[in-house]
Amino acid sequence: MMSYQHLAYVYDQLMHDVPYDQWLTFLNEVCARHHHQINAVIDLGCGTGSIAIPLVQQGYKVTGIDLSETMLAVAQEKASNTGVDVQWIHQDMTELDLGTQYDTIISFLDSLNYVTEPSQLQACFHRVYQHLTDDGLFIFDVHSMYKMRHIFGETLFGTNDEALSLLWQCWIETDTDTVEHDLTYFVQHTDNQYIRYDEVHTQRGYEEDLLRRWLEEVGFDILQVVADLTWNPPQQDSERLFFICKKNVRQRLT
């Protein structure tokens, strides 16, 4: 897995148009549809806290987990400025070990695609299962295979404004459906000079059926798989898949 380094400090600028409120609305609708009450939640791959902090503001106890210490530092500063209390923990999600259980675990904004080894993703699912209370929910999203192959593929993206410019080149390894994101960005400093930073991030795509099988092997009931922040089932050109899974306590008892 790859942790964000210098990019963490400009991440929110790059992601300013991401509709985080839609993810939060989706989560609340999941709970309403499946009669689930959130009390304590783990946010896996919490980044700079753009989901975790509003969840605390809704009255939930939140623990944010991330591999990047710099992302967590930014999240802590944001939480302090907002006046909310979040437990931030620097940990690899594939080695999740908190010694307690939660009723809800989420992993949004394709964080699980950063787990590029199938065995590690299976380990992550197992750890999540262990950290859920009976009938707890695990809700996450991943990039679809369509997006990995046809939108990322070998594509150049870019953005440019006065304070920050980004060049984002994608390369796909078709044998493993692994996409390498080569990021070059220029950040304006107080002396009006720009400093260049380079980072490489790698994500892997996983077929829906494979994810279903791994989740069921661990002991999850898959309540729904929907696409693109709607309640529609995935289509051929869906870009993001959302899994809603429930801890199956019957399997633990058999």
Side-chain angles (χ1 to χ4, degrees):
M1 293 178 64
M2 171 71 189
S3 63
Y4 286 76
Q5 299 174 24
H6 298 291
L7 190 63
Y9 298 109
V10 296
Y11 182 81
D12 286 340
Q13 291 176 252
L14 294 173
M15 302 288 281
H16 70 276
D17 59 345
V18 173
Y20 291 109
D21 58 325
Q22 293 183 25
W23 263 264
L24 293 162
T25 297
F26 176 80
L27 175 60
N28 290 328
E29 289 179 352
V30 167
C31 294
R33 286 171 177 254
H34 294 283
H35 309 290
H36 178 71
Q37 176 64 50
I38 295 178
N39 292 299
V41 56
I42 297 175
D43 183 2
L44 282 180
C46 63
T48 62
S50 295
I51 296 290
I53 292 170
L55 286 176
V56 175
Q57 293 173 320
Q58 291 183 24
Y60 308 136
K61 177 182 177 181
V62 180
T63 298
I65 307 290
D66 206 276
L67 184 61
S68 170
E69 290 183 285
T70 50
M71 293 288 267
L72 291 174
V74 174
Q76 176 61 60
E77 182 178 0
K78 288 168 62 177
S80 297
N81 292 338
T82 310
V84 301
D85 183 21
V86 183
Q87 182 182 25
W88 308 108
I89 296 179
H90 176 230
Q91 197 170 97
D92 187 330
M93 69 175 70
T94 67
E95 300 174 356
L96 182 66
D97 185 9
L98 301 182
T100 188
Q101 292 184 317
Y102 295 71
D103 54 74
T104 311
I105 299 179
I106 62 173
S107 186
F108 287 162
L109 293 145
D110 53 88
S111 293
L112 289 176
N113 286 113
Y114 283 93
V115 184
T116 58
E117 291 296 330
S119 61
Q120 289 188 330
L121 186 56
Q122 289 172 280
C124 181
F125 289 162
H126 180 69
R127 296 273 184 166
V128 167
Y129 185 88
Q130 292 179 318
H131 282 74
L132 278 172
T133 57
D134 292 351
D135 295 325
L137 291 189
F138 176 34
I139 307 158
F140 67 91
D141 69 71
V142 291
H143 291 312
S144 69
M145 297 307 298
Y146 170 81
K147 185 172 185 178
M148 296 294 288
R149 293 169 178 167
H150 302 289
I151 295 181
F152 288 144
E154 296 188 0
T155 307
L156 177 65
F157 302 94
T159 182
N160 182 44
D161 61 35
E162 184 176 346
L164 176 66
S165 298
L166 170 71
L167 292 176
W168 172 10
Q169 177 76 58
C170 298
W171 309 93
I172 187 166
E173 175 54 59
T174 56
D175 290 343
T176 60
D177 289 305
T178 299
V179 171
E180 182 178 282
H181 304 278
D182 292 338
L183 306 173
T184 298
Y185 53 102
F186 301 86
V187 180
Q188 184 183 44
H189 286 253
T190 53
D191 56 3
N192 275 340
Q193 293 186 347
Y194 288 81
I195 295 181
R196 171 176 172 164
Y197 299 97
D198 295 278
E199 290 191 22
V200 177
H201 296 259
T202 304
Q203 291 187 309
R204 182 167 183 162
Y206 294 95
E207 296 282 359
E208 178 187 344
D209 289 346
L210 187 60
L211 293 174
R212 284 179 175 271
R213 176 159 62 85
W214 289 344
L215 289 161
E216 289 170 349
E217 287 174 352
V218 167
F220 284 107
D221 288 332
I222 300 173
L223 303 181
Q224 280 185 287
V225 179
V226 295
D228 298 329
L229 286 169
T230 72
W231 294 101
N232 300 322
Q235 304 298 317
Q236 185 175 359
D237 60 350
S238 297
E239 297 185 18
R240 192 180 292 271
L241 307 186
F242 288 78
F243 285 73
I244 305 166
C245 311
K246 184 177 183 179
K247 182 173 181 174
N248 183 341
V249 295
R250 296 187 304 277
Q251 174 153 330
R252 181 173 57 83
L253 296 174
T254 57

